Amino acid sequence: MAHVLITSGPTRQFIDPVRYLTNASSGYMGACLANACLTQGHKVTIVSGPVHLDYPAAATVVPVITTNEMLQAATTLFAEVDGVIGVAAPCDYSPEIVSDTKLQKTGDGLTLHLRETPDVIATLGSRKRKDQWVVGFALETDDQRFRALRKLETKCCDLIVLNGPTAMNSSTNAIEILDASGEVLLQQHDTKQNIANAILETIQNTLIQD
């Protein structure tokens, strides 16, 4: 059996002590994948941003808030696992300046200068050993397969799971799993738990060594 690391949920990038940038990721897909892995006898560690759900009790959960915290935790844990499923939706941008005090309304609006945050899965993919595997997720709105395959390549993933924005905060999902050759290994529209079971089956058939 494998030790699987799952990144899950959103992250937050603070503007001031009370406001932050984030997204609508609920962590539900991560919880479903953890449940699928545990049901098949795998060991599961989850690095999760802030979510309003309970992960399976048998999983080890490492809570984080920011993208940098998720990167640090996942990087530390990666050396101990067989593979990672990167289903988290880390916040891609962070304010260049974070105010130490609450920003007050002035009537003039607010201009934010943003910088990109580090890419968690790309960092892990660049460090994977020959005996490790990386499965990424790509949420795209246009040129979906092209962008997903581009992410698979640049993030050094073995498989990429393509889905769209309707997956956010929903109990269902429509996905495709693509390999490095561009072959579609799976297409499915179903509940997220059934999707998670199918994703894991594909991973077991293609990546997990007995």
Side-chain angles (χ1 to χ4, degrees), residues 37-79:
C37 290
L38 290 165
T39 298
Q40 293 299 314
H42 302 299
K43 180 179 179 181
V44 175
T45 300
I46 305 169
V47 176
S48 177
V51 295
H52 300 288
L53 55 76
D54 294 322
Y55 289 109
T60 298
V61 180
V62 179
V64 297
I65 296 176
T66 68
T67 300
N68 273 323
E69 289 174 356
M70 179 171 283
L71 175 64
Q72 291 170 5
T75 300
T76 298
L77 291 164
F78 188 54

Side-chain angles (χ1 to χ4, degrees), residues 16-187:
D16 64 18
V18 298
R19 302 183 182 93
Y20 51 82
L21 305 175
T22 191
N23 58 62
S25 175
S26 66
Y28 185 52
M29 193 72 220
C32 291
L33 283 162
N35 185 62
C37 290
L38 290 165
T39 298
Q40 293 299 314
H42 302 299
K43 180 179 179 181
V44 175
T45 300
I46 305 169
V47 176
S48 177
V51 295
H52 300 288
L53 55 76
D54 294 322
Y55 289 109
T60 298
V61 180
V62 179
V64 297
I65 296 176
T66 68
T67 300
N68 273 323
E69 289 174 356
M70 179 171 283
L71 175 64
Q72 291 170 5
T75 300
T76 298
L77 291 164
F78 188 54
E80 307 170 8
V81 303
D82 297 293
V84 59
I85 305 175
V87 67
C91 191
D92 292 323
Y93 297 97
S94 176
E96 289 186 353
I97 298 174
V98 180
S99 176
D100 293 330
T101 58
K102 181 182 175 182
L103 296 170
Q104 302 298 319
K105 287 186 176 180
T106 64
D108 294 326
L110 176 67
T111 299
L112 292 177
H113 295 279
L114 305 177
R115 62 174 181 266
E116 291 186 359
T117 56
D119 192 302
V120 177
I121 293 302
T123 301
L124 299 183
S126 69
R127 300 181 182 185
K128 69 178 177 180
R129 303 185 306 264
K130 290 184 178 180
D131 62 338
Q132 289 180 302
W133 47 266
V134 173
V135 175
F137 270 64
L139 190 154
E140 303 297 339
T141 58
D142 58 300
D143 295 327
Q144 292 180 312
R145 284 189 184 171
F146 174 80
R147 292 178 183 271
L149 287 171
R150 179 63 178 155
K151 285 184 176 180
L152 183 150
E153 180 182 3
T154 59
K155 299 182 185 218
C156 303
C157 294
D158 298 284
L159 299 174
I160 195 90
V161 181
L162 169 62
N163 58 190
T166 57
M168 286 286 195
N169 217 10
S170 171
S171 62
T172 62
N173 199 357
I175 63 105
E176 292 183 348
I177 301 179
L178 307 173
D179 68 11
S181 71
E183 182 180 355
V184 179
L185 303 182
L186 176 73
Q187 288 180 310

